[in-house]
Amino acid sequence: MAATTFLETPQGRRLAYHKSEGTGPAVVFLGGLKSDMEGTKAVHLEDWARARGQAYLRFDYSGHGESSGRFEEGCIGDWHEDTVAAVSALTEGPLIVVGSSMGGWQALLLARAMPERIAGMVTIAAAPDFTEDGYWASFTDAQKEALETVGHVELPSDYMEPYIITKRMIEDGRTRLVLRSPLNLPFPVRFLQGTADTAVSVDTAVRLLDHASGPDMRLLLVKDADHRFSDGPCLGLIEDAVRDVMGTN
């Protein structure tokens, strides 16, 4: 296993990353909330890209994995800045962006920030606008009061320890919403979604498909696949989707 390398960002954060050299377009993996670049999907795609001789990048957002900072201090905008910094400093030319869960939202934000760089996109259980439509919309009055008085609430997770959701994350998320205004994706896009996902609903996937505009968008629903979307068949579907948006299927 190659040693982790670190990038100092313009915002003063230290991001851990693994980069594989190869031909383009480079594949960039954007992980989910509180996940890291050692996850099954991120590492599997790296091995797949390396076998093809294709450039690949995986990294940890600040407050995640080996990167600097604490998760509780971060927000969607910080992680967007991390993504732009990593992509700008560590890749060249066209990109295939693969975003999982919160990384799907980050992929859409990246497409807004540098549409000229994106050659194709694959999302896996994409969770755009989840701070507003998932967290805030489901908060009780007591939780909303806690945000104001304590500054955060704790939410249980099916996959790890409770999430600490801060007032800053909610308020910053409102400035990063992508489902309230036009969302143009002028490149091939494949949205992958499991029907047994308890974190992101099929309705969210359909809403994203309906809202976004673009010449080549498809949604693939996989019966009984959960939010991890990381068993053998699902990993094969991710590979297929990446090849598809590159036009190599």
Side-chain angles (χ1 to χ4, degrees):
M1 178 69 68
T4 301
T5 311
F6 292 88
L7 170 71
E8 299 290 338
T9 75
Q11 294 79 25
R13 305 182 192 117
R14 189 169 187 257
L15 304 184
Y17 72 91
H18 284 264
K19 177 183 175 183
S20 301
E21 301 293 344
T23 59
V27 178
V28 177
F29 186 83
L30 303 178
L33 190 71
K34 290 198 80 174
S35 67
D36 60 48
M37 64 174 172
E38 298 302 327
T40 301
K41 294 185 289 292
V43 173
H44 177 87
L45 271 182
E46 180 180 64
D47 292 341
W48 176 82
R50 185 180 288 120
R52 292 167 53 90
Q54 189 159 1
Y56 182 81
L57 174 67
R58 57 185 169 102
F59 68 95
D60 287 330
Y61 311 111
S62 53
H64 292 67
E66 297 178 75
S67 291
S68 68
R70 296 174 58 241
F71 171 78
E72 293 80 6
E73 297 171 346
C75 62
I76 301 301
D78 291 346
W79 302 324
H80 172 59
E81 290 174 348
D82 294 344
T83 301
V84 171
V87 165
S88 298
L90 303 173
T91 68
E92 297 178 352
L95 304 172
I96 302 296
V97 182
V98 182
S100 175
S101 192
M102 189 269 284
W105 188 358
Q106 292 295 338
L108 298 169
L109 290 171
L110 186 66
R112 278 188 169 174
M114 46 179 66
E116 72 285 352
R117 292 287 308 278
I118 313 299
M121 180 182 293
V122 176
T123 68
I124 306 152
D129 299 7
F130 72 86
T131 53
E132 191 72 11
D133 298 332
Y135 291 158
W136 180 257
S138 65
F139 281 171
T140 63
D141 289 343
Q143 287 174 314
K144 291 178 179 178
E145 182 178 353
L147 274 187
E148 292 296 329
T149 58
V150 182
H152 70 269
V153 296
E154 290 191 15
L155 298 181
S157 166
D158 290 342
Y159 300 99
M160 58 187 75
E161 69 273 7
Y163 291 128
I164 304 297
I165 305 303
T166 63
K167 178 181 178 182
R168 178 172 181 254
M169 184 185 291
I170 296 296
E171 292 181 343
D172 173 84
R174 290 182 178 137
T175 72
R176 311 287 174 174
L177 303 175
V178 295
L179 296 178
R180 271 79 170 168
S181 57
L183 179 62
N184 186 34
L185 305 175
F187 40 74
V189 183
R190 301 293 177 264
F191 303 120
L192 308 180
Q193 175 71 42
T195 64
D197 190 331
T198 58
V200 176
S201 69
V202 170
D203 286 347
T204 299
V206 172
R207 182 184 176 197
L208 174 57
L209 179 72
D210 284 344
H211 177 73
S213 59
D216 183 6
M217 289 190 299
R218 301 177 197 172
L219 168 62
L220 175 65
L221 298 179
V222 182
K223 185 173 176 60
D224 296 332
D226 65 14
H227 191 64
R228 291 185 180 91
F229 210 88
S230 58
D231 63 11
C234 286
L235 293 173
L237 291 172
I238 297 169
E239 294 175 12
D240 290 345
V242 173
R243 280 194 297 264
D244 200 14
V245 297
M246 286 193 298
T248 57
N249 263 357

